[in-house]
Amino acid sequence: MGKVMIEPEEAWARVMAAVSPLPPRRFSLDEAAGRVLAEDVRAETDYPPFAASTVDGWAVVAEDDSPRRRILDAEGRAGEMPSVAVIPGTAARVMTGAPLPPGADAVVMVEDSAVEGEFVRFTRPVRPGENVRPAGSDLAAGQVVLAEGTMLGPAEVGLLATVGRFEVWAYPSPRVAVLSTGDEVVEPWESPGPAQIRDSNRYALMAAVREAGGIPMSLGIVPDRPEVLREKVEAALAQADVLITSGGVSEGDRDHIGPLLAERGTVHFNRVRQKPGKPFTFATVRGKPCFALPGNPVSALVSFELYVRPALRRMAGHTRLRRPEATVRLRHPVRPDPVRTEFVRAVVEREGDEWWARTTGAQASSRLLSMRGANALLRVPPGPDALPEGTAVTAILIAWPEDR
Ligand code: AMP
Ligand code: MG
C-alpha cells in the first residue's frame, strides 16, 4: 500500500469498521465493576420481598381512633418475622427494616410518641402507608433491572447483588501489547548515550490503555531491524487482542513497521490529514487491530486518544465511544494549520456562563509538556487565517477540570 492521506473522520470510520466487541465471558460480582453487561438481568422476585418499616417506631392500624394504644409484648426487629398481629387499640414496637406485623398498615415514628406505662399515645395523626416500604416497591418480579449494554458502576453492582446475580455475562477487557521501536530508544532507568532518548511512549501508552479500560502488556523496546520486529509482533499477537507500537512509521529507511503489517495482514490506512499524528498506520492481522502510532510522544498520545481509546472501548462492549464535546471560546488567537485539522492541547475552564480555552503553550509534537494538564483537544479546522480571541471552536473534553 502506498501512502494515502485520509481525513480524521474517515480514519475513525475505518477503525470502527475493523473492530468489534470481544466475546462475552462470565464474571463474578467482584470482577464486574467497570465492565459492560452482555445480558438482560431480571428481578426473580419482588423487592423488597416483604413490607417493612422505614423507621424505628410503632406499627399500628392507621384508621384506629383510640386515644392511646396498648403496647403488644413483642418487638419487630430486622431479620425476624413478626410474632404478633396488630389490631385496633394496640401497637407493636418495630425497628427500621423489620417486616410489618400482620394487621398493621402504618408506622408512627418513635419521636412522635409518648409511652405511658403499658400504653403509648401519639402526638400526631398517622396516614395509612406512612413509614412503610411496601413489598415490590423497588423492583417487581420479572422486571429487567439492568439491560444488556449497561455499564456496571457501583449502583449496578449493588443491583446485581440485590437480585442474587453473583455471576454475570459481561465483556472482557482487551489485552493490549505495547512496544516501542527505535535504535535510539532506551529504558527510563538507563542513562541515554549522546544520541539516545528514554522511552516515554510505552509508559504513557500503557497508562492510557489502563485509563481506557484495557489491560496493558509491556513488550519492551525493539531496534529498527525487520527480523526482530517481526518476531516481537508475532509474539505480541499470540498473547494480546490488540497491538500498539510507536515509532518507525515515518518515511525513513528504518521505518519497517508499515511494510511488516502489510505483509502479515491488511493495512487500512497509513496517513491521516491531522496534526499531530499524520504518520499513523492502522492494520488488522488475523482480525486483531494493530495501531502503529508515530514516535513523537504527543502524536502517539493524541492518536491514542482519537482512535485507539474508542476502539478499546468498543472491544469492551461500550457503545458510547467518543468523549463529550463542547463549544468553547478561544482565550487568545490560534493560527490553524493551512491543510490539516489540528488537535490543539488546551485547558478549558468555566468563566461565568461560558467555557473558555487556553492552549498549553508551544504545540510541538515532541513536547510532552503540551499534553500535561490538558483537559481538552480543540478541533481546529485547516485554514489560511489566524482565529482571533473569542472564536468559538469545538473542544473534545478528555478530562474534567477536577482531574487536572
Ligand atoms: P519515528 O516515528 O520513529 O521517526 O520517531 C519520531 C520521533 O519520536 C523521534 O524523535 C524519536 O526519537 C521519538 N521517539 C520514538 N520513539 C519514542 C519513544 N518510545 N519515546 C519517546 N520518544 C520516541
Ligand atoms: Mg524511529
Side-chain angles (χ1 to χ4, degrees), residues 180-181 184-185 197-201 246-250 255 294-297:
S180 295
T181 72
E184 77 283 28
V185 182
I197 52 153
R198 291 198 181 97
D199 182 3
S200 66
N201 286 348
S246 71
V249 287
S250 309
D255 294 331
N296 269 311

Side-chain angles (χ1 to χ4, degrees), residues 50-62:
F50 48 84
S53 177
T54 60
V55 296
D56 291 343
W58 302 94
V60 296
V61 178

Side-chain angles (χ1 to χ4, degrees), residues 6-14 272 274 307 322 325 379:
I6 60 173
E7 294 299 325
E9 275 308 305
E10 175 64 18
W12 157 275
R14 290 191 194 183
V272 186
Q274 70 174 58
Y307 307 105
R322 296 189 195 245
E325 296 187 357
R379 190 190 287 116

Side-chain angles (χ1 to χ4, degrees), residues 78-401:
E80 291 174 9
M81 286 308 287
S83 59
V84 293
V86 174
I87 55 169
T90 67
R93 275 181 213 276
V94 283
M95 300 295 146
T96 305
L100 207 62
D105 63 354
V107 177
V108 181
M109 287 210 294
V110 76
E111 292 87 336
D112 297 330
S113 71
V115 173
E116 299 168 353
E118 292 175 9
F119 292 88
V120 60
R121 190 186 294 280
F122 300 135
T123 55
R124 268 192 43 203
V126 60
R127 295 180 313 277
E130 204 170 321
N131 299 323
V132 175
R133 192 174 51 153
S137 56
D138 291 345
L139 305 172
Q143 178 188 340
V144 173
V145 178
L146 299 169
E148 171 175 10
T150 301
M151 149 98 189
L152 300 173
E156 291 76 14
V157 169
L159 282 165
L160 290 174
T162 300
V163 302
R165 291 300 304 273
F166 55 91
E167 276 195 334
V168 282
W169 286 96
Y171 294 94
S173 310
R175 289 161 305 163
V176 185
V178 184
L179 69 86
S180 295
T181 72
D183 290 333
E184 77 283 28
V185 182
V186 301
E187 287 285 1
W189 51 86
E190 297 181 87
S191 302
Q196 293 182 321
I197 52 153
R198 291 198 181 97
D199 182 3
S200 66
N201 286 348
R202 187 158 37 103
Y203 295 93
L205 289 167
M206 289 197 297
V209 165
R210 198 171 280 116
E211 193 265 355
I215 302 168
M217 300 164 59
S218 177
L219 273 106
I221 302 167
V222 185
D224 292 316
R225 298 223 314 272
E227 338 70 75
V228 188
L229 197 58
R230 176 175 297 115
E231 223 169 84
K232 271 283 184 183
V233 165
E234 286 303 327
L237 288 171
Q239 337 167 29
D241 303 305
V242 180
L243 171 66
I244 301 177
T245 66
S246 71
V249 287
S250 309
E251 307 288 347
D253 56 5
R254 290 192 179 178
D255 294 331
H256 303 299
I257 185 83
L260 172 64
L261 293 174
E263 170 200 311
R264 311 309 276 183
T266 307
V267 171
H268 301 279
F269 59 83
N270 48 31
R271 288 287 177 276
V272 186
R273 201 185 308 282
Q274 70 174 58
K275 186 181 172 182
K278 179 175 75 166
F280 165 26
T281 298
F282 172 62
T284 41
V285 176
R286 298 193 299 278
K288 295 186 176 180
C290 302
F291 299 90
L293 304 180
N296 269 311
V298 179
S299 314
L301 280 182
V302 169
S303 302
F304 180 94
E305 173 59 42
L306 296 175
Y307 307 105
V308 187
R309 182 178 186 276
L312 298 184
R313 285 176 62 80
R314 188 171 162 90
M315 295 177 82
H318 290 275
T319 47
R320 200 192 297 155
L321 306 175
R322 296 189 195 245
R323 300 275 200 186
E325 296 187 357
T327 301
V328 302
R329 303 182 68 190
L330 295 177
R331 190 28 89 217
H332 49 74
V334 168
R335 175 163 291 284
D337 185 88
V339 292
R340 286 186 277 164
T341 301
E342 186 162 0
F343 294 94
V344 176
R345 284 76 72 199
V347 177
V348 165
E349 268 167 346
R350 196 187 175 87
E351 290 177 32
D353 288 344
E354 286 181 319
W355 293 89
W356 288 80
R358 274 181 296 109
T359 74
T360 50
Q363 297 282 303
S365 60
S366 56
R367 184 174 171 263
L368 202 42
L369 273 177
S370 74
M371 200 69 183
R372 196 209 72 88
N375 63 2
L377 300 176
L378 308 179
R379 190 190 287 116
V380 177
D385 305 314
L387 307 176
E389 177 180 352
T391 304
V393 296
T394 302
I396 301 165
L397 302 173
I398 62 172
W400 291 103

